[in-house]
Amino acid sequence: QKEVEQNSGPLSVPEGAIASLNCTYSDRGSQSFFWYRQYSGKSPELIMFIYSNGDKEDGRFTAQLNKASQYVSLLIRDSQPSDSATYLCAVKATGGKLIFGQGTTLQVKP
Amino acid sequence: DTEVTQTPKHLVMGMTNKKSLKCEQHMGHRAMYWYKQKAKKPPELMFVYSYEKLSINESVPSRFSPECPNSSLLNLHLHALQPEDSALYLCASSLDRPQRDTIYFGEGSWLTVV
């Protein structure tokens, strides 16, 4: 079992729809969870972080964390073509390493 | 300000060359990282420095040699690389808090080994 798992996609949604990206992790001791957005040819850009169970909202983005289920998700409301990118889920595991999932490619179609 | 600056942005080097990648941050962060990223793959951790000391080496070949001259600077010295080492090299930094620690990446250095 991979330490951080994401569906590689591509996930295709129409413009204006909600995009839902999911991630599971294996280390129950993990405390910090991150979503990075990466455009082709660019470096990862931090868009959300979450430490506590529940929801965290920032503009059109909502991160959701369920530690009991070892599950973290990212919702993007009113998706725009400019949101088309690869979204990397990352988990800071016990020992301090930041471990990435394989990334989900999101395509927002006009 | 969450800026991590990497130089050069692009580097082409021969297999016998010696070159260095540089990284700088002025956010007061105490942990600095080198990651390697190949096309369509996630970043892979190479090294972690915590308070200027090497704390994690992910069994990286010795042709990659990290250096942390001070808390703001991180170098990656390259020598006798192979073409398969061509990749995007990412520097990152964080406060190095035990639990709730956010890691910020620089723009990366694209390395091509010929």
Side-chain angles (χ1 to χ4, degrees):
Chain A
Q1 181 189 5
K2 290 182 182 175
E3 294 178 272
V4 180
E5 294 207 48
Q6 294 180 254
N7 188 326
S8 62
L11 172 66
S12 183
V13 300
E15 184 175 355
I18 296 175
S20 178
L21 302 151
N22 304 313
C23 174
T24 58
Y25 60 94
S26 60
D27 182 350
R28 283 196 171 275
S30 300
Q31 294 288 328
S32 308
F33 307 87
F34 307 91
W35 285 99
Y36 290 86
R37 176 175 63 197
Q38 189 169 26
Y39 293 111
S40 181
K42 300 293 186 182
S43 69
E45 174 192 8
L46 180 67
I47 54 172
M48 289 291 286
F49 58 88
I50 186 166
Y51 305 133
S52 304
N53 273 334
D55 294 1
K56 178 181 178 182
E57 186 174 319
D58 184 1
R60 295 187 296 113
F61 299 99
T62 299
Q64 299 174 317
L65 174 62
N66 183 325
K67 289 186 178 181
S69 301
Q70 294 174 244
Y71 175 90
V72 58
S73 66
L74 179 69
L75 300 178
I76 306 175
R77 288 182 299 281
D78 188 22
S79 295
Q80 301 297 307
S82 58
D83 294 325
S84 298
T86 296
Y87 289 81
L88 294 161
C89 172
V91 175
K92 196 162 190 198
T94 50
K97 294 182 187 179
L98 186 67
I99 300 171
F100 286 87
Q102 292 295 306
T104 299
T105 300
L106 173 65
Q107 296 173 346
V108 181
K109 296 188 182 296
Chain B
D1 184 11
T2 55
E3 189 166 308
V4 178
T5 304
Q6 290 187 243
T7 56
K9 292 196 178 347
H10 297 273
L11 177 63
V12 179
M13 61 184 291
M15 289 189 284
T16 59
N17 291 159
K18 286 185 181 180
K19 297 285 184 183
S20 298
L21 305 179
K22 297 185 183 301
C23 176
E24 189 169 3
Q25 58 86 16
H26 294 289
M27 297 178 279
H29 288 177
R30 307 307 299 203
M32 296 187 77
Y33 311 78
W34 280 115
Y35 281 82
K36 173 183 176 180
Q37 188 176 24
K38 302 281 278 186
K40 300 194 183 301
K41 297 290 187 183
E44 295 178 19
L45 182 64
M46 300 175 72
F47 303 103
V48 180
Y49 274 84
S50 176
Y51 289 82
E52 303 168 40
K53 291 192 181 342
L54 183 65
S55 59
I56 297 176
N57 177 341
E58 289 288 276
S59 302
V60 179
S62 60
R63 57 185 185 268
F64 296 92
S65 176
E67 179 195 19
C68 188
N70 60 55
S71 60
S72 299
L73 295 174
L74 184 66
N75 299 320
L76 186 63
H77 301 299
L78 313 170
H79 174 53
L81 295 193
Q82 303 297 310
E84 59 265 29
D85 296 322
S86 299
L88 177 64
Y89 287 83
L90 295 161
C91 175
S93 71
S94 72
L95 284 168
D96 199 19
R97 291 175 294 194
Q99 299 297 338
R100 299 186 171 190
D101 197 27
T102 303
I103 296 176
Y104 298 93
F105 285 86
E107 292 190 347
S109 293
W110 287 95
L111 174 66
T112 302
V113 181
V114 297

